[in-house]
C-alpha cells in the first residue's frame, strides 16, 4: 500500500515541495479555504487544481494519511498574537484527525512558536503529537528539519536533504539564514545576540524595505516571519528606551508629566525611505504615548532646543550637530541599539 501524505495549504511555496518527492506515494492537497482535497496526477509538476480536478472531502484525505504537512496561507503579518490565533484556527480544523499522525509544520514561525503549536495540539487531543518542524524557504527548499525525538520521516529527508536538529535550533537556524539572505549582517543580531552598538536608525537601516518587498510573496513565507521578528525586536527596544528614560528623569528630580523632550532625527538621503519613515513614525508613536511634551527637530536646520530638558539623539548626524551646539538641558539620550545611553548634564 502506497504511503499517503496530506498537504494542508496551497501556497506556492508549499506546492514546490511535492515535486521533490521520490518513490510511489499518494499525495493529497487540501485547499484550506474550500476545506476540500484533490490528488495530483503528476507530482513532478506543482499541483494546480482546475474545474475538472476531482475533489474529495477533507475528512477522506486526512483520515487515510500518515503525515500532515502544515503550511496554510495566513493574513496576519505584524501582530504575532494575531498570527498565532490564525494558525490555531487552521489547527482546529485538523485536530479531529491528528491522533497517531505526524504533524510536519512547514510554516516559518518565530522563536518558541512551535512549542505553542505543540502545546495547543496536545491539550486538544490529549497527547503530544509526533511533531516535525521543516520550514519552507521562499524558493521552496527546506534546509533545516527540527525534531523532538527520533528521526524525521525518510521521504522528507530524501526530498529535502535538510539538516536534522532540535526544533528550537531549527527555528534559530532558519531565522538566521533568512535574515542573512534578506538584510545586512548588522540586522541579523536583532533576533539573536544583538548587533554591534550603533544608532537606532542605522541598526535597522534597510530592514523593513526588504520585508515590504517580501510581503508580495505568499503569506506564511520567511519574509513574513522575519518581518514580524524585527518589528517585535524594535518595539522591545523602544520599551527599554522609554523605561530607561523615565528612570533617568525621576532620578534627576523631574516629573515625567512635565519633562520637555526634543527628538533629533535628520533623514539620510541615501537611506531606504520606506524604512526610515517606519522607524521614525514608530518612535514618534511610542514616545508621544508616554511623554506629554515631545517635539521633533531636524538637526540639519536651526536647532530649537530652548527650554528643553532632554534631547534624544537618533542618528550619527544628530550627534555631530548637537556637539556643535551647547545644550543647557539635563539629559542627552543616545538611541543606541541594543542599549540606549543616557548622559546627565546637571
Amino acid at each position: 500500500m502506497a504511503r499517503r501524505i496530506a498537504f494542508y495549504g496551497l501556497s506556492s511555496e508549499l506546492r514546490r515541495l511535492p515535486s521533490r518527492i521520490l518513490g510511489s506515494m499518494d499525495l493529497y492537497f487540501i485547499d484550506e479555504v474550500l476545506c476540500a482535497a484533490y490528488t495530483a496526477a503528476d507530482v513532478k509538476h506543482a499541483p494546480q487544481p482546475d474545474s475538472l480536478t476531482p475533489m474529495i472531502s477533507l475528512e477522506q484525505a486526512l483520515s487515510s494519511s500518515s503525515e500532515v504537512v502544515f503550511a496554510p496561507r495566513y493574513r496576519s503579518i505584524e501582530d504575532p498574537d494575531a498570527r498565532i490565533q490564525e494558525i490555531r484556527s487552521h489547527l482546529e480544523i485538523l485536530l479531529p484527525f491528528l491522533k497517531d499522525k505526524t504533524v510536519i509544520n512547514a510554516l516559518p514561525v518565530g522563536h518558541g512558536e512551535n512549542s505553542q503549536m505543540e502545546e495547543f495540539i496536545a491539550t486538544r487531543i490529549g497527547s503530544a503529537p509526533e511533531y516535525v518542524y521543516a520550514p519552507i524557504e521562499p524558493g521552496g527548499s527546506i534546509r533545516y528539519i527540527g525534531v523532538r525525538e527520533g528521526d524525521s520521516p525518510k521521504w522528507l529527508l530524501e526530498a529535502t536533504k535538510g539538516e536534522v536538529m532540535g526544533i528550537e535550533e531549527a527555528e534559530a537556524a532558519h531565522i538566521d539564514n533568512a535574515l542573512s539572505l534578506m538584510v545586512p549582517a548588522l540586522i541579523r543580531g536583532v533576533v539573536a545576540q544583538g548587533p554591534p552598538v550603533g544608532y537606532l536608525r542605522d541598526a535597522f537601516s534597510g530592514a523593513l524595505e526588504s520585508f515590504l518587498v517580501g510581503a508580495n510573496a505568499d503569506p506564511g513565507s520567511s519574509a513574513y516571519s522575519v518581518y514580524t521578528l524585527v518589528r517585535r525586536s524594535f518595539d522591545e527596544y523602544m520599551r527599554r528606551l522609554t523605561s530607561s528614560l523615565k528612570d533617568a528623569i525621576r532620578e534627576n528630580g523631574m516629573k515625567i508629566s512635565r519633562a520637555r523632550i526634543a527628538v533629533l532625527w535628520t533623514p539620510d538621503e541615501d537611506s531606504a525611505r520606506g524604512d526610515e519613515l517606519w522607524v521614525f513614525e514608530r518612535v514618534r508613536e511610542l514616545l508621544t504615548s508616554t511623554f506629554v511634551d515631545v517635539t521633533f527637530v531636524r538637526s540639519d536646520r536651526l536647532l530649537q532646543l530652548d527650554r528643553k530638558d532632554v534631547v534624544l539623539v537618533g542618528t550619527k548626524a544628530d550627534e555631530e550637530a548637537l556637539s556643535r551646539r551647547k545644550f543647557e538641558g539635563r539629559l542627552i539620550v543616545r538611541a543606541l541599539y541594543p542599549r540606549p545611553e543616557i548622559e546627565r548634564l546637571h
Side-chain angles (χ1 to χ4, degrees), residues 174-346:
H174 173 76
I175 291 167
D176 184 71
N177 182 58
L179 282 167
S180 68
L181 294 173
M182 297 172 62
V183 295
L186 182 65
I187 309 302
R188 295 170 62 183
V190 169
V191 179
Q193 74 276 7
V197 174
Y199 283 96
L200 182 63
R201 191 195 65 193
D202 297 330
F204 287 86
S205 178
L208 192 73
E209 183 182 36
S210 297
F211 304 137
L212 291 179
V213 171
N216 292 323
D218 291 310
S221 69
S222 299
Y224 285 111
S225 179
V226 177
Y227 174 96
T228 303
L229 287 164
V230 172
R231 288 291 296 260
R232 189 187 306 171
S233 296
F234 181 86
D235 285 347
E236 287 174 358
Y237 167 81
M238 286 303 301
R239 282 192 287 271
R240 292 199 301 272
L241 174 65
T242 53
S243 177
S244 299
L245 182 51
K246 286 192 291 186
D247 289 344
I249 288 173
R250 292 192 188 100
E251 291 171 6
N252 250 40
M254 295 184 288
K255 291 186 176 181
I256 293 176
S257 61
R258 296 182 181 179
R260 297 160 299 189
I261 301 171
V263 181
L264 302 189
W265 192 284
T266 303
D268 183 345
E269 298 303 328
D270 295 328
S271 65
R273 300 299 304 172
D275 182 53
E276 173 117 2
L277 291 174
W278 167 72
V279 173
F280 175 75
E281 288 302 326
R282 194 66 178 136
V283 169
R284 182 201 299 270
E285 178 185 343
L286 294 174
L287 286 179
T288 54
S289 67
T290 304
F291 304 100
V292 176
D293 188 350
V294 181
T295 57
F296 294 83
V297 181
R298 288 183 59 142
S299 59
D300 58 350
R301 299 172 183 173
L302 181 63
L303 289 178
Q304 299 293 333
L305 302 179
D306 297 334
R307 299 184 60 79
K308 295 297 177 184
D309 299 316
V310 182
V311 165
L312 191 149
V313 179
T315 70
K316 184 176 181 180
D318 300 329
E319 172 78 14
E320 294 171 349
L322 185 64
S323 66
R324 295 192 295 268
R325 184 190 190 281
K326 184 180 174 72
F327 172 57
E328 298 179 350
R330 302 192 190 188
L331 299 172
I332 295 178
V333 181
R334 294 172 179 85
L336 301 176
Y337 188 88
R339 295 175 301 278
E341 178 183 289
I342 300 179
E343 176 185 346
R344 293 172 176 81
L345 299 182
H346 299 292

Side-chain angles (χ1 to χ4, degrees), residues 85-97:
Q85 189 58 43
E86 191 169 352
I87 290 172
R88 285 178 177 175
S89 68
H90 286 289
L91 289 175
E92 287 277 11
I93 297 172
L94 300 178
L95 286 173
F97 312 98

